[in-house]
Structures are given as C-alpha cells and as structure tokens.
Amino acid sequence: MTYTILAADDEIEMLDALELYMTKEGFSFIKALDGMEAAAVFQKQTVHLVLLDIMMPKLDGFAVLKKIRETSAVPAIMVSARDADYDKILGLELGADDYITKPYNPLEVVARVKALLRRYYDYAPAEIETAQTVLTHKNLVLHVDEGVLLKEGQEITLTSTEFKMLKLFMAHPGRIFTRQQIYEAVWEEAYYGDDNTVSVHLSNLRNKIENNPKKPAILKTIKGLGYKMEK
C-alpha cells in the first residue's frame, strides 16, 4: 500500500527537502503552502498522515488540525520552530499524535512518520491485542476492527492514540497501568520520563467518554500507581 502524506509549511525549501526523503521511501507526498490550502487538499484527497507547521498564513496549524479532527482521526504531527511546552500541549489537546521542533533532520521526520503509520495502520502491540472484535463497558461499545466507538449508541470520534489507549483499558478492565506501561504500549517507544503526553491524551479521552470528566467514573486515577478502567 502506498501511503499519502500531506505536509503543510510556508517554507517551500523545507517541503522540497522532505519530498525528496519521503518519495525515496515510497510515500506519495502532497505539499501545501498555507493552512487554507492544506484544509482544502485534505477534504478532496485521501490522506493517511498530516504534517502541519504551526506558524502558517491564512490558517495556522492548530486551526487546520481542529478542522481535520471534526471529521477524521488521521495521524497528525505538528511542526514548529518554537520549542514551547504550551505549543506541544495545545497540539496534543487538539488531537496531534506527535510534535517535532525545527530545525529538524529530515531522516528523523521520516522515521517518526513511518513509526506513526505503522502504529496506526499496521501494528497491534501484544499488550493491547485481543481476540474480541467488540469490547463493551457500561455505555461504551468499541468495535475494534472498524475503529468505531459508540457511546449510548452515538458514534464518538477518537484519534488514533485515543483509540489505542481506550482499547488497552477496555481489553483489561480492572488492571492498573502505569504511565510507562501506557506509553510503551501505545507509542511503542521507550519511556524516559513524564512530559505530560500520557496525561494530556487521557484527559482528552475522558472528555469524550465520561459524563463528568472532572469526576471520572470509567477511567480512574489510582494515586501513586497509575490508571485503570473500573470493572
């Protein structure tokens, strides 16, 4: 399968450099020079992953991602010349799966793209594999093969990260997972410390599945240990 990558950046030199590396890896590569163009391309073409620069004319990367997340859970990587925690946290809260700071090595970008595509489309870690194709919990029904979540019969849009995280908990109700276990199962990378990534995605997930996210009844925090889904 040939994956299509949509990259939006107002620096054409950056896009041209990325295109060389991406096409060498066999990806189809679409360039957009501003946020409006990126949003329009996404609506018209099949895209498997988006790379969005934050600082773009017409629409910034955050606004583009917000539009995309209204209809799609496609993997998304934010790119910024600003190495600020606020930007990273905001991107994650809006549904980004990863964050890269400029200046970057194109080879690193390619590696992150390949890893994210593998997680989303190809690979199912043993920790979250389950023979069940439908998982249920209270008012939640997760159709694993289709990647669809229903809450009280209404479909809830999840990002790829939220889906994997929810699948992990629903496949193991009552089990406590540490932040490290969650990170390594969902992101498939070694965990080197707390950078709020797990917390932000858990918060986003709670906002979608809990009736009262401030007093969660489904995804519980176990102080000093981690998190679990109540049986």
Side-chain angles (χ1 to χ4, degrees):
M1 177 180 178
T2 300
Y3 292 111
T4 298
I5 312 300
L6 169 61
D9 196 318
D10 58 344
E11 298 182 57
I12 187 62
E13 297 83 3
M14 304 288 284
L15 291 179
D16 289 343
L18 276 179
E19 183 176 26
L20 290 174
Y21 286 89
M22 293 291 181
T23 54
K24 186 177 180 180
E25 292 293 329
F27 297 126
S28 175
F29 193 76
I30 303 174
K31 296 180 283 188
L33 291 174
D34 61 62
M36 290 288 286
E37 183 181 0
V41 169
F42 188 84
Q43 289 181 343
K44 295 177 182 177
Q45 301 197 38
T46 299
V47 174
H48 299 100
L49 182 145
V50 293
L51 276 163
L52 301 172
D53 185 48
I54 292 177
M55 300 298 291
M56 289 190 294
K58 298 184 180 179
L59 277 180
D60 65 24
F62 293 137
V64 177
L65 180 61
K66 191 173 181 180
K67 281 182 171 290
I68 288 173
R69 285 290 176 257
E70 290 174 358
T71 58
S72 174
V74 66
I77 299 175
M78 303 303 293
V79 181
S80 175
R82 302 182 301 188
D83 187 14
D85 287 341
Y86 172 79
D87 288 340
K88 182 175 182 179
I89 292 172
L90 179 57
L92 293 172
E93 287 180 340
L94 290 174
D97 297 282
D98 203 351
Y99 186 99
I100 297 174
T101 303
K102 292 180 179 178
Y104 52 68
N105 184 332
L107 289 174
E108 179 188 356
V109 179
V110 171
R112 287 177 181 252
V113 165
K114 291 169 72 175
L116 192 51
L117 289 171
R118 191 164 56 245
R119 290 203 301 269
Y120 189 77
Y121 296 105
D122 300 329
Y123 187 73
E127 185 64 59
I128 60 176
E129 283 182 350
T130 173
Q132 296 175 267
T133 58
V134 179
L135 298 170
T136 60
H137 186 277
K138 295 186 177 181
N139 60 352
L140 302 177
V141 179
L142 185 67
H143 294 268
V144 176
D145 291 343
E146 294 85 358
V148 174
L149 172 66
L150 299 178
K151 178 183 177 182
E152 297 177 353
Q154 298 296 314
E155 184 171 344
I156 304 297
T157 300
L158 298 176
T159 68
S160 59
T161 301
E162 291 163 357
F163 171 79
K164 289 177 179 291
M165 196 174 280
L166 182 60
K167 181 181 175 185
L168 174 67
F169 285 109
M170 292 186 72
H172 303 89
R175 175 176 170 178
I176 298 173
F177 289 94
T178 65
R179 290 185 184 219
Q180 179 175 347
Q181 289 172 327
I182 296 169
Y183 188 91
E184 292 182 352
V186 174
W187 279 269
E188 303 164 42
E189 298 174 356
Y191 181 78
Y192 295 109
D194 182 14
D195 64 354
N196 287 327
T197 299
V198 172
S199 298
V200 171
H201 283 286
L202 272 170
S203 177
N204 292 342
L205 182 57
R206 278 173 168 160
N207 286 335
K208 294 180 179 181
I209 68 173
E210 299 279 2
N211 290 330
N212 184 357
K214 294 183 178 180
K215 294 182 179 180
I218 299 175
L219 277 182
K220 294 281 193 176
T221 299
I222 309 302
K223 192 172 181 180
L225 295 176
Y227 306 88
K228 74 172 183 177
M229 175 167 277
E230 291 285 22
K231 283 188 176 181

